[in-house]
């Protein structure tokens, strides 16, 4: 029905691979520009499962790895620099954190979550050295959220499509894998935006997509707007429809890491329409079956598609 991330990792590394979240004592440029960051973001960012940033990178990885090894008999791991913007620091400091992760046993990949306006060649040159020296794959997670530039401005994203395209083109030169985060139910977006997002990511040949259903942290600006009635959120049924069409238009080569947000209830004033993510997944797959959809079933718009249609007349 769609390409699943866990199966992609198993094919790549020969067995199941587990992510180890890392929390650094850093922030985000979008929080330092006077706007307070993206309107959907909480004060603590997204590192709900990570240890305190007061612990060293090595300590975070070793302690979390020990738990997962015992529970799942795990052998291979990804060091996941998850929270905030993990290239928003000096190159020397960035080097020290990455070296620390690379020297932890059984790390096969380093995943770096960051913003498209925080990608520089010098950092990528260093990561290429790490990949060569330690034989560890480098993976980037870039937050885009939507291709609607009006929405990007409204949520104070702090960048547009141009910055994202430039970051992808630069990272692509090094052969690192790229995952893009998307939210298909941001206020102001429509079904057409979801479809255009799928086309945009397919045209850029993104490797992986991580989809998030919008949740509202209790202390976020977006929740204040929701509570005041200045924004509305689409229904669960509308989100599932957008998700189905997104996957239908998405290249079948792109891997799907996530379909719905997974956030502890105590952090969110609104999340997943009060439904568990696994129940939403069941409903979504039922919808895909009803529509007779599989990922990429409408992927017929690139590589001179209009010319092909003309020649078929």
């Amino acid at each position: 029905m769609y390409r699943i991330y866990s199966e992609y990792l198993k094919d790549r590394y020969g067995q199941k691979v587990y992510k180890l979240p890392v929390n650094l004592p850093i922030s985000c440029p979008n929080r330092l520009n006077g706007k307070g960051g993206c309107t959907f973001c909480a004060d603590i960012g997204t590192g709900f499962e990570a240890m305190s940033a007061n612990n060293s990178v090595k300590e975070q990885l070793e302690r979390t790895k020990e738990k997962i090894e015992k529970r799942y008999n795990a052998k291979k791991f990804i060091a996941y620099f998850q929270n905030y913007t993990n290239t928003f620091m000096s190159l020397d400091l960035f080097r020290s954190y990455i070296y620390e992760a690379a020297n932890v046993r059984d790390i096969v990949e380093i995943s770096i979550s960051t913003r498209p306006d925080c990608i520089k060649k010098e950092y990528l040159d260093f990561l290429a050295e790490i990949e060569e020296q330690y034989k560890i794959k480098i993976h980037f997670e870039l937050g885009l959220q939507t291709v609607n530039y009006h929405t990007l401005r409204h949520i104070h994203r702090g960048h547009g499509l141009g910055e994202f395209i430039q970051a992808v083109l630069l990272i692509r030169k090094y052969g690192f894998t790229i995952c893009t985060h998307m939210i298909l139910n941001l206020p102001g977006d429509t079904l057409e935006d979801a479809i255009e997002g799928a086309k945009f990511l397919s045209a850029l040949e993104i490797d992986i997509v991580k989809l998030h259903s919008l949740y509202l942290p209790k202390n976020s600006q977006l929740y204040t707007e929701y509570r005041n009635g200045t924004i509305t959120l689409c229904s669960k049924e509308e989100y599932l429809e957008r998700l189905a069409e997104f996957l239908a238009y998405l290249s079948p080569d792109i891997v799907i890491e996530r379909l719905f947000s997974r956030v502890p209830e105590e952090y969110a004033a609104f999340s997943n329409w009060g439904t568990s993510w696994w129940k939403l997944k069941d409903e979504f797959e039922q919808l895909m079956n009803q529509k007779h959809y599989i990922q990429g079933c409408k992927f017929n718009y690139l590589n001179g598609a209009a010319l092909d249609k003309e020649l078929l007349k």
Side-chain angles (χ1 to χ4, degrees):
M1 185 178 293
Y2 52 90
R3 290 195 68 191
I4 299 173
Y5 180 63
S6 59
E7 295 178 0
Y8 158 82
L9 287 177
K10 191 172 182 180
D11 289 342
R12 190 175 198 181
Y13 296 108
Q15 59 185 273
K16 192 165 184 178
V17 183
Y18 295 81
K19 275 189 169 182
L20 306 176
V22 177
N23 192 8
L24 298 181
I26 56 175
S27 184
C28 167
N30 211 24
R31 289 177 171 271
L32 305 178
N33 60 9
K35 294 184 177 180
C38 301
T39 61
F40 59 78
C41 192
D43 289 340
I44 63 171
T46 58
F48 304 113
E49 299 172 345
M51 292 173 59
S52 169
N54 294 325
N55 298 290
S56 70
V57 169
K58 181 179 180 181
E59 184 178 4
Q60 291 183 58
L61 290 173
E62 292 285 11
R63 287 173 60 181
T64 308
K65 183 163 74 80
E66 183 180 5
K67 293 177 182 178
I68 295 177
E69 281 177 327
K70 289 180 179 179
R71 185 171 182 179
Y72 300 106
N73 193 30
K75 303 295 183 184
K76 294 185 178 181
F77 303 90
I78 296 171
Y80 179 27
F81 289 84
Q82 178 182 14
N83 207 16
Y84 296 123
T85 304
N86 289 276
T87 55
F88 185 56
M89 65 187 81
S90 71
L91 180 56
D92 286 342
L93 187 57
F94 182 73
R95 284 174 177 270
S96 68
Y97 288 137
I98 297 299
Y99 271 128
E100 210 172 338
N103 280 287
V104 171
R105 179 179 54 86
D106 299 327
I107 296 295
V108 297
E109 187 172 302
I110 293 176
S111 178
I112 301 163
S113 181
T114 190
R115 291 169 53 88
D117 54 356
C118 286
I119 301 295
K120 292 192 70 173
K121 182 179 183 298
E122 294 82 356
Y123 293 67
L124 300 178
D125 287 340
F126 163 66
L127 290 170
E129 295 172 6
I130 289 292
E131 193 170 66
E132 175 62 27
Q133 179 180 353
Y134 291 89
K135 308 304 178 187
I136 291 175
K137 295 291 185 182
I138 301 297
H139 170 89
F140 272 92
E141 295 202 9
L142 295 178
L144 174 60
Q145 318 311 345
T146 178
V147 295
N148 185 326
Y149 60 90
H150 298 291
T151 302
L152 288 173
R153 183 172 62 250
H154 179 77
I155 63 175
H156 299 168
R157 184 64 192 159
H159 68 76
L161 298 180
E163 292 92 328
F164 179 82
I165 293 170
Q166 194 270 341
V168 169
L169 295 178
L170 186 56
I171 294 169
R172 183 71 70 209
K173 293 178 181 178
Y174 293 81
F176 305 147
T177 57
I178 301 173
C179 171
T180 300
H181 290 227
M182 296 288 284
I183 302 174
L184 301 185
N185 61 324
L186 283 165
D189 276 9
T190 65
L191 174 62
E192 287 73 21
D193 293 305
I195 292 172
E196 192 63 24
K199 292 182 175 183
F200 181 77
L201 298 179
S202 298
L204 283 175
E205 299 182 349
I206 296 299
D207 301 294
I208 302 167
V209 172
K210 184 185 284 188
L211 296 162
H212 301 267
S213 45
L214 179 67
Y215 67 89
L216 302 180
K218 295 176 182 178
N219 59 353
S220 66
Q221 182 179 334
L222 203 59
Y223 174 61
T224 300
E225 295 178 18
Y226 175 69
R227 187 181 58 202
N228 293 341
T230 55
I231 62 168
T232 57
L233 304 180
C234 77
S235 67
K236 176 184 69 174
E237 291 73 20
E238 172 64 17
Y239 179 79
L240 296 179
E241 182 70 23
R242 293 182 191 185
L243 185 55
E245 294 301 325
F246 179 90
L247 288 187
Y249 280 91
L250 192 70
S251 166
D253 295 330
I254 296 177
V255 177
I256 307 301
E257 181 168 353
R258 180 175 289 181
L259 298 173
F260 307 96
S261 292
R262 303 179 191 178
V263 55
E265 290 184 8
E266 62 266 27
Y267 290 111
F270 171 88
S271 176
N272 289 338
W273 302 272
T275 306
S276 62
W277 68 265
W278 61 86
K279 289 183 179 179
L280 287 174
K281 181 174 177 289
D282 288 343
E283 290 184 38
F284 168 68
E285 291 183 353
Q286 289 174 12
L287 178 63
M288 291 285 282
N289 287 327
Q290 289 170 9
K291 287 176 166 287
H292 304 290
Y293 276 7
I294 60 171
Q295 181 181 336
C297 62
K298 296 185 179 181
F299 181 60
N300 57 359
Y301 47 84
L302 297 178
N303 300 312
L307 180 60
D308 291 340
K309 292 176 182 177
E310 179 66 25
L311 293 175
L312 288 174
K313 288 183 179 179

